[in-house]
Amino acid sequence: MVGIEELRRPGGLAVQVAAVAACYYAAARLGLLRQLTVEGAVVTPIWPPTGVAVAALLIFGLRCWPGITLGAFFAVLSLTTPDAEVLGVLFGNTVAPLCAALLLRRAGFRTDLSRLRDGLALVFLAALAATLISATVGAGFLVLTDGLPARSFWPVWLAWWVGDAMGVLIVTPLLLSLRRVRLPLPPGRWKEASALAVVACLLVPPAVYSPISTLFLVYPVVIWAALRFQLVGSVLCALLTSVAATVAATDGVGAFAGLNRIEVMLKLQAFNGATALTALLLSAVIIEQRNTRDSVEKACQELVEVLEHLTAGEAPPPRPRPHTDEPGDTDGPGDRSRPTGIA
């Protein structure tokens, strides 16, 4: 397997771009498995490629942006013949993740999501603000090229924006957290992880497909995952519930039965957004608290060692120098919290 450091070298740029393009295209094909029709336009409730693009820019750096454009082009090419509308889609789908990465870098974002401010930055800067660009440019080009009536701009724009935002909220933190997972887990953690997976698989489908609207039953599972497995567990649970809810919504069954397309979209996106926000922000708070506790314990231990040396009439031991950042990483200097997903 080619390491990230090797891909960051000049010679690995072509491989990096090709890898990003392939991942973008694969995510697009997955997202297109479930679609909704809004004002005659086909939209996806969750658009994973946007989350893949933002994660790739944060991990590899801004120079991998051509892979996003290539992936988007091949995704569009698999659906229709290229025309003037494609230019708007490619431009918006490339610029939006770039703006998201630049905004996050400006805000001092750390890819380990170890602080609440990192979770808030990902939500408001990347998911909600930057994706306005792709929705506005994409829907606007459709109207300008007569591919969409002007009266349908706002419903399509809203569906486009929410789909991109959900892709960032669910996929980006998942990819960032999987990058830092260290295996294998202790045996006791495997048992609890297996129990959590079984409970989630047994509880989520009935909650989503029940005609009496019991979607709220999934939140205890997401909270359990966040408390015990932090970002990896909570985001995986959020992904499972969002996928199950999307399938039920596009089929018009369970909690989404008897609703028109606009009502289905609003209910689905409200549920998916609330689940993703709960998973992301709760995990960020827990990780931040644990890191603060670890820092206090380490400081107390160092203080005890200094006092012991001073009491013995010896010079205090030299403190180790903090580690420097990885090239291209957006983590703060010297910040190396424990891997996510391991309590």
Side-chain angles (χ1 to χ4, degrees):
M1 179 180 295
V2 179
I4 291 178
E5 292 300 327
E6 295 177 2
L7 289 177
R8 283 181 174 141
R9 297 172 183 171
L13 179 59
V15 177
Q16 186 183 104
V17 170
V20 172
C23 292
Y24 190 102
Y25 177 78
R29 299 305 300 174
L30 288 175
L32 291 170
L33 293 178
R34 289 290 169 171
Q35 305 171 353
L36 287 174
T37 302
V38 178
E39 297 293 329
V42 177
V43 297
T44 56
I46 302 175
W47 187 238
T50 306
V52 172
V54 174
L57 292 171
L58 292 175
I59 294 174
F60 297 120
L62 300 181
R63 67 175 188 171
C64 72
W65 70 265
I68 300 172
T69 305
L70 286 176
F73 175 75
F74 286 115
V76 173
L77 190 63
S78 66
L79 297 175
T80 183
T81 303
D83 51 22
E85 300 172 1
V86 175
L87 297 178
V89 174
L90 295 181
F91 179 80
N93 287 6
T94 303
V95 173
L98 278 172
C99 289
L102 290 172
L103 288 173
L104 291 176
R105 176 178 294 185
R106 182 77 173 179
F109 178 78
R110 296 178 182 174
T111 56
D112 58 2
L113 289 165
S114 59
R115 304 171 300 175
L116 178 59
R117 60 178 290 185
D118 298 324
L120 294 175
L122 186 64
V123 171
F124 290 101
L125 297 180
L128 299 183
T131 54
L132 293 172
I133 299 174
S134 55
T136 303
V137 173
F141 259 78
L142 289 177
V143 173
L144 291 176
T145 56
D146 297 327
L148 185 71
R151 59 178 176 80
S152 301
F153 172 82
W154 288 112
V156 173
W157 176 89
L158 178 62
W160 197 314
W161 174 58
V162 173
D164 281 352
M166 288 307 307
V168 176
L169 282 178
I170 294 177
V171 178
T172 299
L174 177 61
L175 295 178
L176 294 179
S177 60
L178 290 177
R179 176 194 174 201
R180 295 180 176 273
V181 170
R182 299 295 182 267
L183 297 176
L185 295 177
R189 304 296 290 159
W190 277 116
K191 294 179 181 179
E192 185 177 4
S194 300
L196 175 62
V198 170
V199 171
C201 292
L202 292 178
L203 183 62
V204 170
V208 171
Y209 284 89
S210 173
I212 57 176
S213 189
T214 55
L215 294 174
F216 59 90
L217 292 177
V218 306
Y219 289 107
V221 179
V222 175
I223 294 172
W224 175 14
L227 290 174
R228 299 297 296 160
F229 298 96
Q230 286 75 58
L231 195 61
V232 174
S234 62
V235 174
L236 284 174
C237 284
L239 178 62
L240 172 63
T241 57
S242 297
V243 170
T246 300
V247 173
T250 52
D251 291 339
V253 298
F256 305 92
L259 304 178
N260 60 42
R261 286 301 184 184
I262 298 298
E263 293 172 340
V264 167
M265 184 187 70
L266 292 177
K267 185 174 184 178
L268 172 64
Q269 304 300 11
F271 170 72
N272 285 345
T275 304
L277 286 174
T278 301
L280 179 59
L281 298 183
L282 181 58
S283 298
V285 170
I286 294 171
I287 295 174
E288 184 175 33
Q289 289 180 345
R290 289 181 56 195
N291 290 340
T292 302
R293 181 196 64 191
D294 292 344
S295 298
V296 172
E297 291 177 352
K298 183 178 179 181
C300 292
Q301 183 179 0
E302 291 177 352
L303 180 59
V304 170
E305 294 177 355
V306 170
L307 291 176
E308 289 177 350
H309 282 78
L310 291 177
T311 302
E314 302 174 356
R319 296 181 59 185
R321 298 180 61 183
H323 296 288
T324 57
D325 289 343
E326 299 175 4
D329 204 347
T330 53
D331 294 353
D335 185 271
R336 282 295 175 266
S337 59
R338 70 179 66 186
T340 57
I342 302 178

